[in-house]
Amino acid sequence: IYRGDYIVNWCPVDQTAISDEEVQHEERESKLYWIRYPSPHGEVVVATTRPETMLGDTGVAVSPEDAAKRHLVGKTCTLPIIGRELPIVADAAVQKEFGSGFVKVTPAHDPVDYGIGKRHNLATVVVIDRTGKMTAQAGADFAGLDRFEARAKVIERLEHDGLVVKVEPHRHAVGKHDRCGTVIEPLLSTQWFVKMAPLAEPAVRAAETEAITFYPERWRNVYMSWMTNIRDWCISRQLWWGHRIPVWYCDDCDHLTVSRTDPTRCEGCGGAKIRQDEDVLDTWFSSWLWTFSPLGWPDEDAPDLKRYHPTSVLVTGSEIIFFWVARMIMASLEFMREVPFRHVFLTGIVRDGQGRKMSKSLGNSPDPLDIIDKWGTDAFRFTLSMLSPPGKDVFFDEAKLELGRNFGNKMWQASRLILGAVDKEGKPLFKENANGDFTSTLAFRPEYAWEDRWILSALSRCASDTNRCFEEWRLNEGAARVYDFFWHDFCDWYLELAKVRLYGEGDKRTVLAVMVHVLGESLKLMHPLMPYITEEIASALPTSNGRLLLEHAYPQGDGRALDAEAEGRMTVLRDVVTSVRNVRAAYRVNPGLKIPVRVRAHEPKASLVREATDGIVRLAGVATLEVGPDVAKEKGSAATPIGDLEVVIPLAGVVDVEAERARLTREREKVDAELSEVARKLANEGFVAKAKPEVVERERARRERLETELSKLVESLGLLGH
RNA sequence: GGGCGAAUAGCUCAGUUGGUAGAGCGUCUGCCUUACACGCAGAAGGUCACAGGUUCGAGCCCUGUUUCGCCCACCA
């Protein structure tokens, strides 16, 4: 840390120095003024965007490469208005192609000029003060004017004097203070700085060696480019609020006393006439210590520090990579000699409907407490999780919260169904089972039906998929995966199938045990995304044992539960049920009306369908289900092929021949199109020779299935007559 | 000036080893079916920005273009 006089970013409104990171650049249409500085040695015309600063010029510079102007180097010209003689120097900071090739040099008000002034021993003349007004040095006509008023007045005077050669439009970026929007004034002043290069070096290495990793990875490059182009950090602020700089100056000697406790005497000469620095530290200068300073540091043996440092993940927004993330890494490596965290996960930024970042000053941010009152904490949390792909900004729209609210409601309702059927001890709450056994489902060894094996298999897949998503930082996909499983697999299919046993005769213990188990595991999977509702429901489950979900291990997915056979059965049931529902909807069959259904199928598929009869009957509104290879398919029935089986629904008087022909024709066109696509692929020798065998095999199977379906459709159409 | 991201169904967006385009909302058709109308069932809707290239095969890989957005930057 050092103190010195340098050009800093100065905010004339807040009247403080700020760091480079607090300057927001904004492209603007501006003007480039070409101004003649009279000289007896030749034409000198400078080009500038800030004419008001010329009042503080102490030189003119040209490029050392600029042969046409070389003869002027070492000569002088006259500064208009003021009348000061200005030396003409050659400096590598000047580009000969830009503007006129002459640069006016104002060491007190421009960082580049400051460098030129240093190298050529030019004087510094301060013409703008800390409030952005012109000083006495700017001359009596300008002193006290605002810097922008002065600009206009300078040009006015120069035009009057015939010294403005031309004015051209010029697009360039101006720096603004990120807090108040005031145009930054580069100002020469005495400030404290941190020398950054030595701190950046290990921080660069930490990212290179992947001691710290970034998600999504591209942010690593952002971090790296900042780190490798780092500049010293101005940490003193002329503000009221903050950590006051712990340095005392002595009126009697030059010594600086630096102390953690307030001293009464100068450390150098022992004198009592000391006064503390008036300035405070940049707020980030304390924030960069955050990963260790709250844990007991600088006591390196503090238990919390030993236990919790370094931590695993920092979750934050990309907008503060420089302000905070990068600096925490540097501070930790410097003071703790280890990384502060191993992974940096950058979330997207939540923006308003117009894409603007939510901010207090814009007033475009809804009050989270209002949102939570209206929609619920979990709904808010879940919706944002599911709608936020890694590192991508989210356009927030309150209506989107319906997604989370509805899902929360779905969980609640499904739980009502289940908890209405089983008591706290796991005993069935209604309808005696066949043998009158009321023993708990908990200690019971269940005898799984195939649909139980299916949902357990699906649960296992969901858990392992979800884990993988989370491990790969794809939280949105993890959320979507659980959402889909719970709503569509568990609620739409399993619970509906479960009602066959739940509301029917017979032993209910197996189905209750499975429902409770799958609900409980789903709650665990959902818990990080919907902590409140899941704990609430879980506490009522017979399996809770008074423990919080928070205390349980996260489900990993039990590979032993995977059951391809049961999944195959489910596919058949789904296909049959869907095709029946399809026909019912197409012919507006009264939803309350149970209809006869026949399924044409050969063994072993026929048995599969027979064994799923109860489910098909309940889910598709079926009166009677006939299954076999030769079930009748007469005129006046609707027939839908599903691979090698066919769902036939006799609907005498309901099926309109023309409508059915249209339906089947449309279906045939679809199958035809798909079939020719597959045929084209398989006819391609390159495909058969070079594609992976399993891909080719899949296409062949697909062709076979489509051909079967097509022949059935043709048969059905023939049955309808022409 | 440099870098990064985006462009997919009417809307908001998913889609990581290149192999039959998905969700939510909205729309249309039926349903208040004893967990849920914040719901159930069914349906329609897409030359995946444009132009080339690689490949048997491209939303996905490569090159270029256009349009948006963000970050960085001392050409005055």
Side-chain angles (χ1 to χ4, degrees):
Chain A
I1 294 175
Y2 62 91
R3 184 175 188 245
D5 296 338
Y6 296 91
I7 298 272
V8 294
N9 304 300
W10 184 266
C11 176
V13 168
D14 292 332
Q15 294 188 37
T16 180
I18 58 174
S19 66
D20 294 341
E21 284 65 40
E22 290 162 273
V23 178
Q24 285 282 328
H25 290 92
E26 189 181 295
E27 288 262 322
R28 263 196 191 180
E29 286 307 333
S30 178
K31 292 188 172 105
L32 187 65
Y33 300 90
W34 295 52
I35 302 162
R36 173 172 298 115
Y37 283 15
S39 170
H41 310 288
E43 170 119 314
V44 177
V45 175
V46 302
T48 180
T49 55
R50 300 196 56 199
E52 72 280 12
T53 63
M54 69 181 282
L55 302 170
D57 282 4
T58 56
V60 166
V62 299
S63 167
E65 320 276 271
D66 196 339
K69 301 185 177 68
R70 195 164 291 153
H71 66 282
L72 291 166
V73 175
K75 308 284 194 325
T76 63
C77 58
T78 308
L79 179 64
I81 304 177
I82 301 287
R84 185 158 50 233
E85 283 296 295
L86 304 179
I88 300 171
V89 302
D91 193 281
V94 181
Q95 316 269 320
K96 67 174 177 173
E97 301 82 13
F98 185 89
S100 63
F102 289 101
V103 178
K104 57 186 272 316
V105 183
T106 323
H109 298 289
D110 183 280
V112 176
D113 293 10
Y114 179 77
I116 297 175
K118 275 262 170 183
R119 289 191 284 278
H120 300 276
N121 255 325
L122 304 179
T124 51
V125 175
V126 174
V127 291
I128 300 172
D129 70 14
R130 297 183 164 222
T131 66
K133 290 195 164 54
M134 307 308 287
T135 66
Q137 299 236 63
D141 292 346
F142 300 95
L145 284 183
D146 173 81
R147 51 192 168 146
F148 298 112
E149 292 169 2
R151 178 178 303 176
K153 196 164 178 186
V154 164
I155 289 301
E156 195 180 304
R157 170 78 73 83
L158 291 172
E159 272 173 344
H160 179 265
D161 294 345
L163 293 171
V164 178
V165 176
K166 63 173 170 179
V167 181
E168 51 188 26
H170 181 62
R171 193 171 173 79
H172 73 136
V174 297
K176 292 182 160 188
H177 187 190
D178 63 0
R179 277 182 175 267
C180 66
T182 305
V183 174
I184 290 304
E185 189 60 45
L187 196 79
L188 186 60
S189 71
T190 310
Q191 304 287 347
W192 289 93
F193 298 85
V194 179
K195 191 172 177 185
M196 299 302 274
L199 296 171
E201 201 258 329
V204 165
R205 204 163 349 108
E208 275 172 354
T209 59
E210 300 197 334
I212 298 175
T213 56
F214 290 79
Y215 305 88
E217 261 181 24
R218 59 189 154 86
W219 293 112
R220 191 184 105 116
N221 298 333
V222 174
Y223 167 89
M224 281 296 201
S225 70
W226 186 77
M227 275 293 180
T228 50
N229 295 298
I230 201 153
R231 287 187 286 164
D232 287 354
W233 177 14
C234 175
I235 53 169
S236 44
R237 296 288 179 277
Q238 290 68 49
L239 300 170
W240 285 94
W241 190 254
H243 289 141
R244 198 164 166 191
I245 293 172
V247 172
W248 283 259
Y249 305 101
C250 179
D251 285 340
D252 297 326
C253 73
D254 292 339
H255 188 80
L256 301 188
T257 304
V258 180
S259 172
R260 290 171 63 188
T261 54
D262 291 5
T264 53
R265 299 197 161 273
C266 174
E267 200 179 49
C269 66
K273 285 200 271 181
I274 55 170
R275 60 211 149 68
Q276 187 175 1
D277 197 312
E278 295 281 330
D279 293 348
V280 299
L281 293 163
D282 180 6
T283 183
W284 298 102
F285 190 77
S286 49
S287 299
W288 79 334
L289 309 175
W290 180 77
T291 65
F292 48 88
S293 85
L295 299 177
W297 182 84
D299 172 9
E300 300 204 351
D301 294 323
D304 283 353
L305 191 61
K306 288 180 119 165
R307 177 162 181 193
Y308 294 114
H309 200 280
T311 190
S312 52
V313 192
L314 176 77
V315 180
T316 189
S318 58
E319 70 212 81
I320 49 177
I321 288 179
F322 307 142
F323 281 120
W324 199 36
V325 180
R327 285 171 179 162
M328 281 195 284
I329 293 170
M330 292 188 285
S332 180
L333 288 167
E334 171 70 14
F335 299 115
M336 296 294 297
R337 290 167 303 281
E338 64 183 14
V339 297
F341 31 73
R342 312 212 183 278
H343 310 288
V344 180
F345 179 69
L346 284 317
T347 67
I349 294 169
V350 180
R351 300 183 176 278
D352 70 6
Q354 297 160 53
R356 299 175 306 178
K357 186 173 143 181
M358 289 190 174
S359 74
K360 276 175 275 188
S361 48
L362 269 177
N364 60 345
S365 171
D367 185 336
L369 295 178
D370 291 341
I371 298 273
I372 286 166
D373 274 349
K374 196 166 163 196
W375 299 92
T377 319
D378 285 341
F380 195 18
R381 182 183 179 107
F382 182 79
T383 302
L384 285 177
S385 304
M386 183 154 154
L387 295 184
S388 308
K392 246 184 163 184
D393 294 355
V394 178
F395 284 41
F396 182 74
D397 175 354
E398 213 179 309
K400 288 180 174 176
L401 297 178
E402 284 185 18
L403 172 80
R405 181 200 60 181
N406 294 356
F407 187 50
N409 180 249
K410 193 73 182 174
M411 293 183 77
W412 190 256
Q413 296 299 341
S415 306
R416 277 186 51 207
L417 170 69
I418 294 164
L419 293 170
V422 64
D423 70 9
K424 192 74 187 167
E425 278 74 51
K427 292 178 186 169
L429 279 179
F430 62 98
K431 284 200 179 175
E432 272 182 58
N433 51 48
N435 53 11
D437 190 349
F438 270 78
T439 51
S440 169
T441 56
L442 296 177
F444 166 73
R445 186 184 177 87
E447 290 163 31
Y448 293 136
W450 65 266
E451 62 262 39
D452 299 325
R453 289 187 283 115
W454 163 71
I455 194 67
L456 294 170
S457 180
L459 170 68
S460 172
R461 269 183 212 288
C462 175
S464 58
D465 288 352
T466 305
N467 273 281
R468 190 162 39 80
C469 289
F470 287 168
E471 274 159 24
E472 294 168 8
W473 307 92
R474 299 176 304 173
L475 308 187
N476 61 321
E477 286 182 59
R481 185 66 181 86
V482 190
Y483 176 96
D484 185 60
F485 167 77
F486 189 81
W487 197 309
H488 298 119
D489 287 335
F490 187 55
C491 292
D492 290 351
W493 289 98
Y494 183 77
L495 289 183
E496 292 305 321
L497 281 173
K499 286 174 184 174
V500 171
R501 283 178 286 168
L502 201 57
Y503 298 153
E505 301 304 319
D507 194 318
K508 297 172 179 48
R509 288 175 298 173
T510 293
V511 68
L512 287 171
V514 175
M515 289 195 308
V516 168
H517 173 73
V518 176
L519 173 62
E521 292 301 293
S522 301
L523 292 172
K524 287 182 195 167
L525 286 169
M526 288 306 306
H527 182 253
L529 304 165
M530 297 190 118
Y532 296 100
I533 189 172
T534 50
E535 284 294 6
E536 179 68 21
I537 296 168
S539 70
L541 287 183
T543 45
S544 77
N545 292 330
R547 287 174 71 202
L548 292 172
L549 285 177
L550 193 61
E551 300 174 76
H552 286 82
Y554 199 68
Q556 299 297 306
D558 178 4
R560 290 167 304 179
L562 291 179
D563 192 328
E565 197 267 345
E567 288 179 7
R569 285 175 184 260
M570 189 59 198
T571 303
V572 171
L573 175 130
R574 249 181 187 151
D575 285 346
V576 171
V577 168
T578 300
S579 79
V580 174
R581 284 172 171 173
N582 231 303
V583 170
R584 296 186 66 117
Y587 292 111
R588 308 279 155 75
V589 175
N590 183 327
L593 184 68
K594 305 269 189 265
I595 57 173
V597 171
R598 304 177 193 140
V599 176
R600 286 188 146 191
H602 293 274
E603 292 300 336
K605 274 245 177 98
S607 295
L608 250 56
V609 176
R610 271 191 212 101
E611 286 158 23
T613 298
D614 291 347
I616 293 171
V617 162
R618 180 175 181 96
L619 267 53
V622 170
T624 55
L625 186 68
E626 270 184 82
V627 186
D630 303 315
V631 296
K633 171 172 150 187
E634 72 275 29
K635 188 167 182 174
S637 55
T640 315
I642 308 164
D644 53 357
L645 54 81
E646 190 170 21
V647 176
V648 181
I649 303 174
L651 288 170
V654 178
V655 172
D656 174 73
V657 174
E658 281 313 309
E660 181 62 4
R661 180 178 292 134
R663 188 180 79 93
L664 293 179
T665 304
R666 261 192 61 191
E667 198 59 31
R668 191 179 70 179
E669 280 164 4
K670 257 196 203 161
V671 174
D672 263 335
E674 224 182 309
L675 193 54
S676 60
E677 168 76 22
V678 179
R680 198 177 50 78
K681 260 191 177 175
L682 288 167
N684 181 341
E685 285 174 26
F687 174 74
V688 179
K690 296 187 184 176
K692 279 178 282 186
E694 60 266 33
V695 175
V696 178
E697 198 36 56
R698 193 162 59 220
E699 291 300 311
R700 289 209 170 109
R702 194 173 148 214
R703 179 172 64 184
E704 197 179 327
R705 181 174 57 79
L706 290 167
E707 278 169 348
T708 311
E709 287 184 357
L710 187 62
S711 69
K712 292 195 162 105
L713 285 166
V714 169
E715 182 190 271
S716 301
L717 278 163
L719 213 57
L720 289 173
H722 295 285

